């Protein structure tokens, strides 16, 4: 019946996450079917599965709910996506982990590390501020402030004054420590 098929889709989302797979893949797959034409009234009566658009909407909502509900699994999956080079998906997953546990600085630190690696300094500074607020860490506030004041590290050709270069060296050193701490935390997951 359609109800059972709908429940099976919801169960598939949960099982995918429990097995370490991104339930977003299932949602993405269902999006292709959802873009097809709507079934006629007669076809709706004869369908054994819910209409594709309905299946997509239910799976998308279930995926979001599962990712927000299971913080540890979402953090593990985000780290896996990051390791696979899927940084944008990792950023999305770390954002969902923050929804699950707003008081944890780890998702914001992970996002900051990704954004810093992509040389998106202003966004990285914002993530450090979020992590600092969650952890009440003056060091993270200092990193965020330094990134905001000097959004790009000096390059050999830019000839910055000695004070700016020293400040950025300090920020880069702190970023390295935070990145190492983040890698250690990911290894424990």
């Amino acid at each position: 019946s359609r109800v059972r098929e709908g429940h099976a889709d919801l169960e598939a989302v949960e099982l995918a996450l429990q097995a370490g797979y991104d339930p977003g893949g299932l949602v993405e797959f269902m999006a292709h079917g959802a873009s097809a034409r709507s079934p006629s009234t007669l076809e709706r009566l004869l369908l054994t599965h819910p209409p594709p658009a309905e299946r997509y909407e239910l799976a998308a909502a279930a995926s979001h709910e599962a990712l927000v509900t299971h913080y540890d699994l979402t953090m593990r999956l985000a780290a896996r996506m990051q390791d696979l080079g899927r940084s944008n998906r990792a950023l999305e997953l770390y954002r969902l982990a923050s929804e699950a546990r707003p008081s944890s600085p780890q998702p914001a630190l992970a996002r900051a590390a990704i954004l810093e690696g992509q040389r998106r300094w202003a966004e990285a500074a914002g993530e450090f501020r979020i992590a600092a607020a969650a952890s009440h860490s003056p060091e993270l506030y200092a990193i965020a402030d330094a990134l905001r004041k000097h959004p790009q590290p000096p390059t050999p050709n830019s000839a910055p004054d000695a004070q700016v270069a020293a400040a950025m060296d300090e920020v880069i050193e702190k970023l390295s420590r935070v990145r190492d701490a983040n890698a250690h935390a990911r290894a424990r997951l």
Side-chain angles (χ1 to χ4, degrees):
S1 80
R2 281 186 243 167
V3 172
R4 286 187 182 148
E5 290 299 333
H7 286 295
D9 290 343
L10 299 178
E11 185 74 18
V13 165
E14 187 72 29
L15 288 173
L17 181 60
Q18 295 288 336
Y21 292 101
D22 186 357
L26 177 62
V27 173
E28 202 174 294
F29 173 77
M30 288 185 173
H32 294 295
S35 63
R37 70 171 181 80
S38 296
S40 69
T41 305
L42 178 59
E43 289 172 323
R44 272 185 179 274
L45 291 172
L46 299 175
L47 283 176
T48 58
H49 289 66
E54 187 178 311
R55 289 181 77 187
Y56 165 74
E57 289 172 16
L58 287 172
S63 176
H64 182 270
E65 182 64 28
L67 290 165
V68 168
T69 303
H70 301 291
Y71 173 83
D72 292 332
L73 293 174
T74 302
M75 288 293 288
R76 246 184 254 137
L77 182 60
R80 184 167 173 245
M81 292 294 116
Q82 190 174 352
D83 292 343
L84 292 172
R86 297 189 58 203
S87 298
N88 289 335
R89 181 60 179 156
L91 284 170
E92 289 175 40
L93 291 167
Y94 285 128
R95 279 189 184 90
L96 291 171
S98 285
E99 279 184 46
R101 209 176 281 173
S103 62
S104 174
Q106 281 308 116
L109 288 173
R111 289 190 307 268
I114 292 171
L115 294 166
E116 185 260 336
Q118 295 175 342
R119 305 183 67 78
R120 293 163 58 184
W121 307 110
E123 292 172 79
E127 295 299 337
F128 276 113
R129 289 198 72 71
I130 292 168
S135 66
H136 308 291
S137 167
E139 185 175 64
L140 293 177
Y141 277 119
I143 291 171
D145 289 342
L147 279 173
R148 235 184 30 248
K149 289 176 190 168
H150 308 289
Q152 290 189 336
T155 62
N157 298 332
S158 66
D161 64 45
Q163 189 177 15
V164 172
M168 287 314 296
D169 285 344
E170 185 179 331
V171 168
I172 290 169
E173 181 183 320
K174 287 180 180 179
L175 282 171
S176 295
R177 279 187 273 154
V178 168
R179 196 177 310 121
D180 291 344
N182 188 37
H184 179 70
R186 283 180 41 208
R188 289 186 306 191
L189 292 177

